[in-house]
């Protein structure tokens, strides 16, 4: 199994000049292109029992068929978007209010930083959506139950629509796309290469989708840009169903697992959570801007507003982990280290 380790980021600050005129032009990120294959191996399950075994999943399947929407015709794509405007309050950019922020050239650098910060966040949503597209198509195959197969098939379609919408927004409106964060890539590879179907669910439906749902909710509440708000609003309706699918499917699965089997799940949750947490330090944005990356990452890691933001991302994951009976002492410790354990008493559906 090929495991992709997170790429170490260059922490060398670029040579900077005190004279404004000598500063090099800010380059646009190079959009990812081409395709890439990774080897996967897991058991594909036929099921010869077509009876309804799980009425709750059938109900979700019915709901999913009724709530399909067309991203091309439903969304107001003719909205004008200025990618360099303050579409999301500047205060959510990690270095906001620091001396580094004060030194930004407000005409040349600040608009680019806004564009890159938006692009970076949405690019990783786009790549995450593709990961979800691949993972749910695997779930269709791997899960041994017809109700889950039928539902998962509708989710594959949902994810295709999400890929389409984010790609179009990035391409036409933000006009910049970043490659996938190495942290997210590592996590997606692990989920796709995992043999055990419950781990695919756990990784994608509970962890990645749980975080996406919280992050999309954050955008829906803070963005001033109407098209993006509409996109995330539509996608969130789908994602809420996807998380529900994960919770319903995994309910009871961990009740009589052996300590050894459970340990694998615990380690997976803690490692995946760490990868997702690190993904929001925006290394690639600082590099692209020619800013001192190590310093910016440190600010993103420690600033109070960013800690709040990153911890908010776990507001669905922690209560759902608990609902599945997986908030064991080891997982509890991992969440505590990330500063997100306090969400254990939250209502995941809120
Ligand atoms: Fe999605
Ligand atoms: Fe999803």
């Amino acid at each position: 199994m090929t495991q992709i380790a997170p790429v170490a980021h260059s922490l060398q600050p670029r040579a900077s000049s005190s004279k404004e005129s000598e500063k090099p032009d800010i380059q646009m990120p190079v959009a990812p292109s081409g395709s890439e294959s990774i080897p996967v191996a897991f058991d594909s399950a036929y099921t010869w029992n077509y009876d309804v075994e799980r009425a709750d999943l059938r109900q979700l399947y019915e709901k999913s068929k009724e709530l399909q929407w067309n991203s091309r015709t439903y969304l107001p794509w003719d909205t004008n978007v200025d990618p360099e405007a303050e579409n999301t309050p500047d205060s959510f950019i990690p270095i906001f209010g620091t001396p580094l922020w004060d030194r930004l050239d407000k005409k040349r650098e600040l608009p680019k930083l806004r564009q890159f910060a938006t692009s970076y966040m949405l690019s990783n949503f786009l790549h995450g959506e593709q990961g979800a597209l691949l993972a749910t198509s695997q779930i269709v195959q791997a899960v041994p139950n017809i109700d889950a197969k039928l539902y998962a098939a509708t989710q594959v379609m949902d994810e295709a629509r999400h890929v389409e919408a984010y790609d179009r927004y990035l391409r036409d409106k933000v006009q910049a796309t970043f490659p996938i964060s190495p942290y997210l890539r590592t996590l997606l590879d692990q989920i796709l290469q995992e043999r055990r179907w419950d781990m695919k669910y756990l990784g994608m439906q509970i962890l990645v989708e749980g975080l996406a749902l919280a992050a999309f909710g954050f955008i829906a509440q803070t963005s001033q840009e109407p098209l993006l708000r509409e996109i995330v609003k539509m996608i969130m309706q789908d994602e809420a169903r996807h998380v529900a699918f994960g919770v319903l499917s995994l309910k009871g699965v961990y009740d009589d697992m052996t300590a050894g089997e459970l340990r694998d799940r615990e380690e997976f949750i803690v490692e995946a959570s760490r990868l997702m947490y690190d993904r929001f330090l925006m290394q690639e944005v600082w590099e692209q801007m020619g800013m001192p990356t190590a310093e910016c990452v440190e600010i993103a890691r420690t600033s109070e507003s960013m800690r709040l933001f990153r911890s908010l991302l776990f507001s669905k994951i922690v209560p759902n982990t608990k609902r599945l009976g997986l908030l064991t002492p080891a997982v509890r410790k991992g969440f505590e280290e990330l500063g997100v354990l306090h969400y254990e008493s939250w209502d995941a559906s809120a």
Side-chain angles (χ1 to χ4, degrees), residues 268-332:
F268 180 62
I269 292 173
V270 172
E271 196 195 333
S273 297
R274 199 164 289 284
L275 287 167
M276 292 192 295
Y277 196 88
D278 284 339
R279 160 188 156 192
F280 284 89
L281 299 173
M282 296 172 51
Q283 292 88 333
E284 293 90 331
V285 171
W286 315 124
E287 282 174 11
Q288 200 67 39
M289 287 292 300
M291 295 175 71
T293 304
E295 195 181 334
C296 294
V297 163
E298 198 44 34
I299 292 170
R301 200 185 289 282
T302 53
S303 96
E304 200 40 46
S305 65
M306 284 305 113
R307 272 167 49 168
L308 265 174
F309 168 66
R310 280 196 313 268
S311 94
L312 187 73
L313 297 174
F314 285 80
S315 58
K316 309 274 176 201
I317 293 174
V318 179
N320 280 333
T321 304
K322 190 175 183 177
R323 267 161 96 179
L324 296 174
L326 288 172
L327 193 58
T328 59
V331 173
R332 189 173 273 281

Side-chain angles (χ1 to χ4, degrees), residues 1 31 56 74 98-99 138 144 148 157 182 192 210 228-229 233 300 330 335:
M1 186 165 105
D56 51 355
Y74 186 83
T98 64
Q138 289 189 341
M157 185 57 217
L192 293 172
L228 181 60
R229 271 214 315 266
K233 196 189 94 196
F335 283 159

Side-chain angles (χ1 to χ4, degrees), residues 23-38:
K23 279 191 174 174
D25 275 351
I26 301 169
Q27 302 290 317
M28 295 301 282
V30 178
S33 62
S35 67
E36 198 182 338
S37 296
I38 57 166

